[in-house]
Structure formats: C-alpha cells, structure tokens
C-alpha cells in the first residue's frame, strides 16, 4: 500500500509531467483527502445525512433556509432545526433553475414560475388582470385612446398590454374588470402616448368621462414575466436567465418584469454559463467566453475574454468577489476588470465534463472551491446487438 503523502503541494496539481520528473511541491492526484492550512493534506471529513429524498433535482439558498427540489416536491429545509416543510407540488421532470435576490428566491420549472421570501411562496410575476372596454354615450374628445388595467399584489404591480380604441367625439369609455385584486385603471389623452392613473374599478367597472393627465404614469406597459430559463443568476439589481442562444434579463429593480422587445442578448452558440462580478457579467457559450458591461441599460458593451466555453453549472462566487468556473483548460477565475486567469492550464489537463456543480466550502479555517463534474455519455464500441424474426399467424374466426 502506498504511503499517504502529507507534505506540501504548493506547486499544485500536475498531470502533464512524467511521474519521475514531477516538480517539487506538485502532486499528480489527491484522492479522499482535503487540503489544509499551510498546503498540507488531511483525510477528507465524512458526512451526515440530514434529509432523505427520492429524486433530488436542485438545492438553493434562501436566506437561512435551503429550498430543495425532490421529484415533484418543493421543500424548505431549516439547517438549524433539521426540519423540512413542503411548499408546493411542481412539475416532476425537466430543468429547474433559481436565483436569490433581495432576500427572495426566484425559481422556475418548465411550467411554474415562483418566488419564496422565506415565509410565503407566491407567483414570481403578478398576473395581469382581464378587462374589457365598452363605448357609451358621452363627450370625450375624438381621437385614439390607450387604456390599461394593472393589478397590485404585495406592493408589486403587474405588467399589462394596453388596448387602443378610437372615439368619435360623442362617446365615453367604460372599463370593465371583475378581478378581485387591487386594480388600477390607466388611460391616455386623445392621441396621447402616456397613460395616466384614472382610478380603481368600483362594482367591476369605471366610467371615464374625462382624462386626468397629472397623476401617476403607467410604467409597466408591455412588460411580462421572464421566459423559462435553464439557468438563472443575479447581476446587481437584475435577474439573468439563459436558454439556448439567448440571454434574458429582468428590468432594473423589477425582478418580476421583463421587456420582451429589448430585454435579451443573442449569441452565435448556446449560452452555458453566466456569472456576475458586479462591474460586469461573464457569459460563456459552448465555444467562447465574453465580458459584458452595461446590461440592462442603453450602453451595453461586450468583449471576448476566452476562446473557449465553460461547463454548465460550474460557476461559483468566490469570497473575494471574483468568480470561478470550469473550462477545458481547468479552473478559470474572472476579476472585476474583466480579466481571466487559467491557473491550471500550464500543468494540468482536466477531463472534459458535460455539466458540473460548484461551491465554496470552509473546513478547519481553509476555504476550498469544490467542483463536481459529470462526463459526457458516449456509445460503447463493445456493445452488442441482435435481433429475432417473428411470424404471427392470426387465424380467421369461425363463421
């Protein structure tokens, strides 16, 4: 049995050099050990199971709680009491993604879009109310009017798609809305572009006999919830999501709303990773990595920083506010100025994984970035195939 080495490995991992020429302080591999303070090795600590699951599909931070996705169950787990609480029954299969912003966890599946503030689980975005317009005899000036009705829930206002109607000068508008929530009616002046608050429906209706144009303006017109995304992250006041070749983002300070006209970026290849360093956003596709600044504004800038992609799910925020992710050249570390270093590239040739997960762990005063990779599934050249011929005779029924 080989003796366990516990000496310093300050030069890091090196699987390129021949074993007999391994540089001083380097190590080829380290199995079942953890690095400790001072660059030594110690046996890896064990683990304790605190919650059993049937098909664990996701684990996300939600303040002092953890939110777990187990099959079709969404659970809240409290590490302080080792207890779990069922939150919701969700879609049993498909991708799940979540992001934590302003003490709220935003989570989406193929069919659900939810938010959890540690107390209550609600819809991610406030659904827009249904409303109709009715023309009645009156004296509003002739012209084209825009009308909208929003709902407010928990201080959050829904998006809305305004309706347009043309009046002939002998008509008023009657807005019909039977929604039981706190609803607001907005309308523009004749041939105007800005919609102003006119009031709230009473007894499911509000008649507009004149238009007030010095009240609150409608700011959520033509906004909707974020499309379903395979991956979610945060960047300053935005939630960032990706699916396929598109990178989506919510409106600044409005994580419940997304602009479908300008709230996205398109890339030449599939987006597989995005991570924020505050000053900008690192975005990796299957072939390249970019640093993007000004996202969510009219001054978006982008530059290529690596001529390679990343492993999906491998991004992690480091304690010093840098970010790290895994590439075909090993760990990549991105800084606030958009620079990227590949510390493993000269000495280490990693196995290429199709998907990964990463986190920062602290043990015995030592912080470690732990990345777990899953390799690509490939066909087995030694597989065998066979076939059988069958003949089925269906006799004619007796007459």
């Amino acid at each position: 049995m080989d003796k366990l080495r516990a000496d310093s490995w300050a030069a890091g991992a090196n699987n390129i050099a021949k074993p007999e020429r391994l540089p001083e302080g380097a190590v080829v591999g380290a199995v079942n050990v953890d690095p400790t303070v001072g660059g030594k090795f110690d046996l890896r600590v064990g683990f304790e199971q605190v919650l059993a699951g049937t098909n664990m599909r996701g684990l996300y931070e939600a303040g002092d709680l953890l939110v777990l996705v187990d099959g079709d169950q969404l659970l809240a787990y409290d590490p302080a009491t080792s207890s779990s609480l069922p939150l919701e029954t969700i879609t049993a299969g498909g991708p799940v993604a979540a992001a934590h912003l302003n003490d709220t966890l935003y989570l989406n599946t193929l069919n659900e879009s939810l938010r959890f503030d540690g107390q209550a689980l609600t819809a991610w975005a406030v659904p827009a109310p249904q409303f109709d317009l009715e023309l009645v005899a009156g004296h509003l000036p002739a012209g084209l009017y825009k009308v909208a009705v929003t709902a407010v829930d928990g201080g959050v206002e829904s998006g809305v798609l305004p309706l347009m109607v043309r009046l002939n000068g002998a008509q008023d508008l009657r807005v019909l809305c039977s929604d039981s929530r706190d609803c607001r009616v907005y309308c523009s002046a004749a041939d105007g572009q800005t919609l102003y608050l006119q009031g709230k429906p009473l007894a499911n209706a509000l008649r507009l006999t004149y238009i007030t144009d010095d009240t609150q303006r409608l700011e959520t017109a033509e906004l909707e919830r974020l499309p379903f995304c395979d991956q979610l992250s945060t960047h300053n006041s935005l939630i960032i999501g990706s699916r396929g070749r598109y990178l989506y983002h919510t409106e600044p300070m409005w994580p419940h709303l997304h602009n479908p006209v300008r709230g996205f970026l398109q890339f030449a290849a599939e987006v597989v990773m995005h991570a924020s360093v505050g000053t900008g956003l690192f975005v990796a596709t299957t072939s390249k990595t970019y640093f993007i600044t000004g996202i969510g504004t009219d001054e978006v800038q982008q530059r290529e920083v690596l001529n390679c992609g990343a492993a999906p799910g491998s991004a992690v925020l480091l304690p010093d506010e840098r970010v790290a992710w895994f590439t075909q050249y090993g760990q990549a570390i991105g800084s606030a100025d958009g620079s990227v270093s590949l510390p493993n590239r000269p000495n280490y040739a990693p196995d290429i994984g199709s998907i990964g997960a990463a986190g920062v762990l602290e043990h015995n005063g030592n912080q470690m970035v732990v990345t777990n990779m899953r390799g690509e599934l490939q066909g087995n050249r030694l597989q065998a195939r066979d076939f059988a011929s069958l003949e089925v005779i269906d006799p004619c029924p007796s007459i």
Side-chain angles (χ1 to χ4, degrees):
M1 180 178 177
D2 294 336
K3 182 180 179 180
L4 176 67
R5 285 181 56 185
D7 54 317
S8 174
W9 59 294
N14 188 326
N15 64 355
I16 294 179
K18 293 182 178 181
E20 63 272 16
R21 297 181 180 179
L22 191 66
E24 184 70 24
V27 63
V28 176
V31 180
N32 203 32
V33 292
D34 284 332
T36 62
V37 177
K40 302 291 184 179
F41 279 133
D42 200 358
L43 286 176
R44 179 164 295 169
V45 297
F47 64 89
E48 176 185 356
Q49 181 177 347
V50 296
L51 182 67
T54 57
N55 180 25
M56 289 293 184
R57 301 160 52 205
L59 172 65
Y60 307 103
E61 174 197 0
D64 294 331
L65 303 177
L66 297 174
V67 170
L68 301 96
V69 182
D70 183 17
D72 64 350
Q73 293 299 307
L74 192 66
L75 309 171
Y77 175 76
D78 188 350
T81 61
S82 296
S83 61
S84 62
L85 175 69
L87 297 177
E88 186 73 31
T89 299
I90 61 175
T91 304
V96 181
H100 193 252
L101 178 67
N102 294 337
D103 298 326
T104 300
L105 182 72
Y106 295 86
L107 180 144
N108 74 182
T109 70
L110 287 171
N111 299 316
E112 292 91 10
S113 183
L114 306 168
R115 58 176 172 168
F116 178 62
D117 62 1
Q119 300 292 329
L121 183 72
T122 58
W124 181 330
V126 178
Q130 299 290 325
F131 68 98
D132 292 310
L133 298 180
E134 191 177 73
L135 303 183
V136 296
H139 303 91
L140 283 176
L144 186 66
Y145 290 79
K146 294 181 179 181
V147 185
V149 180
T150 65
V152 179
D153 185 5
V156 177
E157 190 168 15
S158 71
V160 62
L161 183 62
L163 298 180
M164 292 186 291
V165 60
R166 186 173 294 279
L167 304 185
N168 60 16
Q171 298 165 312
D172 282 343
L173 283 170
R174 190 165 181 261
V175 183
L176 305 175
C177 180
S178 59
D179 198 298
S180 61
R181 295 174 294 173
D182 179 16
C183 293
R184 299 173 178 178
V185 177
Y186 294 85
C187 187
S188 69
D191 300 321
Q193 296 296 319
T194 304
L195 284 77
Y196 297 91
L197 179 63
Q198 305 300 313
K200 300 181 179 182
L202 298 176
N204 299 332
L206 178 65
R207 179 168 177 167
L208 302 179
T209 57
Y210 64 93
I211 303 301
T212 303
D213 61 1
D214 59 354
T215 55
Q216 176 180 324
R217 299 184 179 189
L218 175 64
E219 297 181 333
T220 62
E222 301 179 355
L223 301 182
E224 57 186 35
R225 72 178 180 91
L226 196 71
F228 166 74
C229 296
D230 293 316
Q231 297 185 54
L232 293 172
S233 64
T234 61
H235 174 59
N236 299 333
S237 65
L238 307 176
I239 291 182
I240 307 294
S242 62
R243 181 169 175 80
R245 296 186 296 116
Y246 293 90
L247 186 79
Y248 302 98
H249 64 83
T250 58
E251 289 291 283
M253 302 305 297
W254 287 349
H256 64 294
L257 292 175
H258 160 73
N259 190 320
V261 176
R262 58 181 179 84
F264 67 93
L265 300 175
Q266 182 178 359
F267 295 85
E270 180 182 354
V271 176
V272 296
M273 186 278 298
H274 37 90
S276 170
V277 286
T279 56
L281 186 74
F282 287 100
V283 178
T285 68
T286 54
S287 58
K288 296 181 183 296
T289 303
Y290 305 91
F291 185 65
I292 301 175
T293 58
I295 190 168
T297 72
D298 295 329
E299 299 180 357
V300 180
Q301 295 184 359
Q302 170 185 302
R303 75 175 191 268
E304 181 181 325
V305 292
L306 280 181
N307 192 27
C308 66
S314 63
V316 61
L317 178 65
L318 302 180
D320 59 4
E321 302 301 321
R322 294 182 298 168
V323 294
W325 64 91
F326 215 78
T327 75
Q328 67 189 74
Y329 303 113
Q331 200 88 47
I333 300 177
S335 302
D337 60 357
S339 61
V340 179
S341 62
L342 296 168
N344 306 123
R345 184 170 185 173
N347 304 316
Y348 196 77
D351 294 330
I352 299 176
S354 61
I355 192 171
V360 176
L361 300 180
E362 184 168 338
H363 176 62
N364 287 337
N366 191 39
Q367 292 178 331
M368 298 177 289
V369 178
V370 179
T371 304
N372 184 32
M373 306 294 294
R374 185 176 70 191
E376 296 182 354
L377 299 178
Q378 298 179 350
N380 186 350
R381 296 181 179 180
L382 299 179
Q383 63 186 338
R385 292 189 177 93
D386 204 350
F387 67 93
S389 297
L390 298 176
E391 183 178 1
V392 179
I393 300 176
D394 186 9
C396 295
S398 58
I399 300 177

